[in-house]
Amino acid sequence: MVKLNRIYTRTGDAGTTGLVDGSRVSKANPRMAAIGDVDEANSAIGVAIAALGERSPATTLLTIQNDLFDLGADIATPLGIDGALRIVPAQVARLEAEIDAMNADLGPLTSFILPGGDPAAAALHLARAIVRRAERSAVAVDGLNPPALAYLNRLSDWLFVATRVVNGTGDGDVLWQPGASR
């Protein structure tokens, strides 16, 4: 359980931060960039949840937000630490099953989709783009738990399919029209 009595510690004032194993790294370290991008993705998902209100998939996104905290802890813990909180293959498999379920009622894509449509779908598109950045950042981390990277890859797919669901099972998708502004 996490208990924070004080928000500031001053331990990072010199540009370093602590990892779960007690070691300190530069805040410019690739591991810290990945953690920051995961945090930003989680915040963007929070915006999408607010835009969705009571509509689906808001409840599922809360589970994903919890997973992203697990993912942050995973990235903040170098490999080889016994009992570390890690993303596990079952979390990736759950995303895949949810993608398949959401995708079952969607028509095939006939064009690339522009980010937009319903405001909640636009927020999900933004979250998807941030997750893609988090994935690129995570690739730069030495010694990353492989399911953590797979989770990010699958999550961006999940968010893409969710945008189509929110856009009226794809009917409200904004389609790319190649060369339309020439």
Side-chain angles (χ1 to χ4, degrees):
M1 181 58 89
V2 174
K3 182 178 180 182
L4 299 173
N5 291 325
R6 194 172 66 176
I7 299 304
Y8 63 90
T9 62
R10 297 186 179 119
T11 58
D13 290 352
T16 65
T17 193
L19 297 179
V20 172
D21 68 351
S23 64
R24 296 198 67 79
V25 297
S26 167
K27 290 183 180 185
N29 182 291
R31 186 177 299 273
M32 299 316 301
I35 292 168
D37 289 343
V38 168
D39 185 38
E40 187 178 346
N42 205 342
S43 297
I45 288 171
V47 171
I49 291 169
L52 283 165
E54 299 295 318
R55 294 185 292 159
S56 181
T59 302
T60 306
L61 285 167
L62 289 171
T63 299
I64 288 170
Q65 283 191 302
N66 278 285
D67 285 350
L68 289 175
F69 263 81
D70 290 354
L71 178 61
D74 188 336
I75 297 170
T77 308
L79 291 178
I81 306 297
D82 290 335
L85 181 59
R86 301 282 182 207
I87 293 294
V88 296
Q91 289 168 290
V92 177
R94 187 195 76 238
L95 288 178
E96 290 173 351
E98 291 168 358
I99 290 168
D100 292 343
M102 287 189 293
N103 206 38
D105 294 331
L106 297 174
L109 290 172
T110 58
S111 175
F112 287 109
I113 296 173
L114 301 178
D118 182 283
L124 288 166
H125 274 295
L126 180 59
R128 175 191 51 78
I130 295 168
V131 167
R132 283 285 190 213
R133 179 166 21 98
E135 181 183 10
R136 291 189 303 273
S137 294
V139 167
V141 176
D142 287 331
L144 187 68
N145 173 29
L149 193 55
Y151 186 90
L152 285 167
N153 191 336
R154 218 63 81 247
L155 179 56
S156 61
D157 295 335
W158 190 102
L159 291 165
F160 176 77
V161 174
T163 65
R164 297 198 67 217
V165 170
V166 171
N167 273 336
T169 60
D171 293 337
D173 287 339
V174 181
L175 301 179
W176 173 46
Q177 298 174 11
S181 61
R182 288 183 178 185

